[in-house]
Amino acid sequence: MTTIAIRNIGPIKEVKKISLNRINVFMGPQSSGKSTIAKIISFCTWVEKDVATSQSLSEYQENKRYFRERLESFHKIKGYFNSDSYIHYKSEVVDIVWKNEECSISWVDKYAYKRSKIAYIPSERNMVILPEARKSEFGNTNIRSFLFDWFEARKKYSNENNLSVLNLGVNYYYIEGREEDHIKGNNNNTEYDILLSNASSGLQSIIPLIAMIEYLTKWIYDEDIISFEQDERRSRTNKILLEEKLLKPYNDNLHIEDLQEFSKFFIKKLDEKEEKAVKCLDDYKTIFNNLFETANSQFIIEEPEQNLFPETQRDLVYYFLQKCLNKEGNRLTFTTHSPYILYALNNCMMADLVSDKMNKKELSKLKCNHSKISPSFVSIYEIRDGVVDKIQGEDGLISDNYFDQKMKDLMDDFYLMLNHYE
């Protein structure tokens, strides 16, 4: 289980050590620190991938401030760190600590990593539909990373192979030669086809989100594109693994320069079906494939409810649970300040607890029936005054008291005036 703890970064005073679950939700008002937590989780997950696929900690060990510099620039949080800022991220692969203004990093098990696609979907996602987006300079930031993924994702949706957007009666498609994003649908029995940039703010927010989720849960596995930089890394890491998993088990004094001569020796051992050689080769292949074949996706989404009607927020949560957890190892982390998002998630957890007691007729009416999830897989936190607290009861559901208190906060003025209403 991966854990993280954070202290004194931006608005965050303290996140006591928490375990990252299959679903992690951070709830709170504007500027409470939700995105700060999500960005740190995303970045630490990326550092884990970075060192595992290079099989080297040297960049971070030799420059003790490298971790902070990259986090600040990529996620645009320059000025958030203090002299007593603290981060501790620990997984099955790596142990990362930021303390006393420097980073220490060590292996837990350098061979345990399974490659993830790490997708940070920022709140600024709706800007990708603007024609000017391709020409804009964003530097090496999460917006630029999302933009590049978007350019790949939208190619999958032509007019003939368009994307249906939830149950909104709207379909999205992209015209590649003209670089145009379109939506089409039917309004009052009249068909329409317009540019996405001319659509409602809700559609401009939800379509890039849905398109990316579809891409990252399907196409990314069918067409795992390898860049020149990735190919170079594969070659370097391959040499390290050959030395560590094939050469050294036979002779600690052998080095990669001896590989050609060793190859003849090793092939002979394989021909003889020597158990040690077969096991070494199997270990090497498994580790290499785990490092460079995408096994799962890590979704980090800012404010999925942005510009959406409550019912659409609900349906979006149901969609997330059907799509984002479709592979072992997938993880969904999102920030929100919408109670409707929490209501929908609570529905899905409740469905897991009671659906086996419901008859077929009742189940047929249950909109979240295909989005059930065990509460044990869900962690929901509220941020208040810089401190993070879990808001679930012993059964894993969000307590009624939490929702009641939120409603009371909204209705206090109304109840005060009600005494004087005739």
Side-chain angles (χ1 to χ4, degrees):
M1 183 71 78
T2 299
T3 61
I4 192 160
I6 305 168
R7 283 200 304 272
N8 299 324
I9 298 180
I12 296 298
K13 293 178 183 176
E14 183 169 36
V15 179
K16 292 182 180 178
K17 186 171 82 169
I18 60 175
S19 297
L20 295 183
N21 217 333
R22 294 199 73 190
I23 295 180
N24 307 279
V25 182
F26 295 96
M27 170 79 174
Q30 286 83 4
S31 304
S32 60
K34 304 183 300 296
S35 293
T36 302
I37 297 171
K39 288 171 178 178
I40 291 170
I41 290 171
S42 175
F43 185 74
C44 289
T45 307
W46 180 84
V47 171
E48 177 183 9
K49 178 179 180 176
D50 186 36
V51 298
T53 55
S54 65
Q55 288 289 287
S56 173
L57 305 174
S58 60
E59 274 190 305
Y60 299 90
Q61 289 177 331
E62 291 167 7
N63 180 354
K64 299 292 187 180
R65 296 177 67 84
Y66 185 58
F67 173 88
R68 170 180 166 174
E69 289 165 1
R70 296 197 76 169
L71 171 55
E72 284 181 325
S73 62
F74 187 79
H75 282 297
K76 302 176 294 177
I77 58 170
K78 198 166 183 64
Y80 281 42
F81 277 77
N82 303 297
S83 59
D84 59 349
S85 292
Y86 174 82
I87 298 171
H88 186 193
Y89 173 92
K90 187 175 183 180
S91 70
E92 295 176 351
V93 179
V94 72
D95 192 348
I96 304 168
V97 179
W98 175 266
K99 187 179 181 181
N100 299 326
E101 298 195 85
E102 63 177 38
C103 177
S104 64
I105 184 167
S106 59
W107 293 116
V108 176
D109 182 351
K110 67 185 294 189
Y111 304 124
Y113 186 70
K114 292 186 178 179
R115 187 180 185 90
S116 293
K117 170 62 181 177
I118 302 163
Y120 193 91
I121 303 180
S123 58
E124 300 95 331
R125 57 187 169 270
N126 56 350
M127 54 77 61
V128 302
I129 57 92
L130 298 174
E132 299 82 7
R134 181 176 283 275
K135 302 172 186 176
S136 301
E137 294 290 334
F138 296 104
N140 186 20
T141 63
N142 59 42
I143 296 178
R144 179 175 180 267
S145 178
F146 177 71
L147 194 61
F148 278 26
D149 281 343
W150 166 253
F151 290 151
E152 287 300 318
R154 65 181 183 171
K155 293 176 186 175
K156 305 301 178 186
Y157 311 113
S158 64
N159 193 11
E160 296 73 30
N161 184 37
N162 55 63
L163 175 66
S164 177
V165 183
L166 298 183
N167 58 354
L168 300 178
V170 173
N171 293 71
Y172 163 77
Y173 70 95
Y174 169 64
I175 302 176
E176 187 159 0
R178 286 153 46 186
E179 303 223 355
E180 289 180 357
D181 300 290
H182 283 247
I183 59 167
K184 60 182 181 179
N186 191 298
N187 190 8
N188 295 323
N189 296 319
T190 303
E191 291 187 357
Y192 66 87
D193 187 324
I194 63 173
L195 291 172
L196 180 55
S197 55
N198 293 336
S200 69
S201 60
L203 289 176
Q204 291 178 2
S205 175
I206 197 172
I207 285 175
L209 178 54
I210 295 286
M212 286 301 301
I213 297 295
E214 291 288 331
Y215 176 66
L216 295 168
T217 54
K218 181 182 187 301
W219 299 105
I220 197 71
Y221 301 104
D222 294 345
E223 302 174 8
D224 213 348
I225 301 167
I226 299 172
S227 67
F228 174 78
E229 182 185 38
Q230 289 171 325
D231 194 46
E232 289 285 296
R233 177 169 292 209
R234 283 165 63 110
S235 296
R236 291 193 301 270
T237 302
N238 183 46
K239 289 180 180 179
I240 293 171
L241 292 177
L242 283 171
E243 186 162 333
E244 293 181 354
K245 304 307 291 183
L246 296 185
L247 273 70
K248 296 232 168 149
Y250 279 92
N251 188 334
D252 277 340
N253 296 320
L254 285 172
H255 297 287
I256 204 69
E257 293 78 12
D258 307 308
L259 187 57
Q260 190 171 2
E261 203 54 43
F262 175 76
S263 296
K264 298 175 186 176
F265 163 80
F266 191 77
I267 289 170
K268 183 174 181 293
K269 293 294 183 183
L270 287 175
D271 288 341
E272 294 170 357
K273 294 184 171 51
E274 183 188 270
E275 188 175 333
K276 181 179 179 181
V278 172
K279 184 179 184 310
C280 286
L281 185 62
D282 286 345
D283 287 349
Y284 157 78
K285 285 181 177 178
T286 298
I287 293 166
F288 187 82
N289 289 339
N290 284 344
L291 291 178
F292 292 104
E293 291 182 8
T294 302
N296 57 63
S297 294
Q298 310 291 309
F299 303 96
I300 304 96
I301 305 171
E302 285 189 300
E303 300 173 19
E305 72 272 11
Q306 204 166 239
N307 303 327
L308 299 180
F309 190 69
E311 286 184 8
T312 308
Q313 294 182 37
R314 177 201 65 194
D315 293 344
L316 183 61
V317 171
Y318 296 170
Y319 167 84
F320 280 161
L321 267 60
Q322 291 178 48
K323 284 286 183 176
C324 294
L325 304 180
N326 67 345
K327 272 186 176 287
E328 184 180 351
N330 279 17
R331 187 164 67 211
L332 170 62
T333 299
F334 60 86
T335 68
T336 184
H337 36 57
S338 169
Y340 301 112
I341 292 284
L342 298 190
Y343 278 125
L345 192 51
N346 225 30
N347 289 348
C348 297
M349 293 189 288
M350 177 68 86
D352 182 77
L353 297 176
V354 305
S355 60
D356 60 340
K357 300 169 187 173
M358 299 173 71
N359 60 46
K360 288 184 179 180
K361 186 176 180 180
E362 289 175 317
L363 285 172
S364 68
K365 296 178 181 178
L366 198 61
K367 294 181 176 67
C368 62
N369 187 36
H370 299 294
S371 304
K372 298 187 293 287
I373 187 164
S374 167
S376 64
F377 293 146
V378 182
S379 296
I380 306 172
Y381 302 94
E382 182 183 30
I383 306 169
R384 187 180 290 275
D385 298 325
V387 178
V388 173
D389 289 311
K390 205 167 186 180
I391 60 172
Q392 292 158 278
E394 289 185 7
D395 57 3
L397 298 175
I398 304 169
S399 66
D400 289 340
N401 288 339
Y402 177 82
F403 288 121
D404 291 344
Q405 183 58 49
K406 291 300 170 191
M407 185 58 68
K408 180 181 179 301
D409 291 345
L410 290 172
M411 298 295 290
D412 274 349
D413 281 359
F414 181 82
Y415 291 136
L416 181 61
M417 294 183 289
L418 194 60
N419 296 324
H420 303 278
Y421 181 73
E422 295 181 1

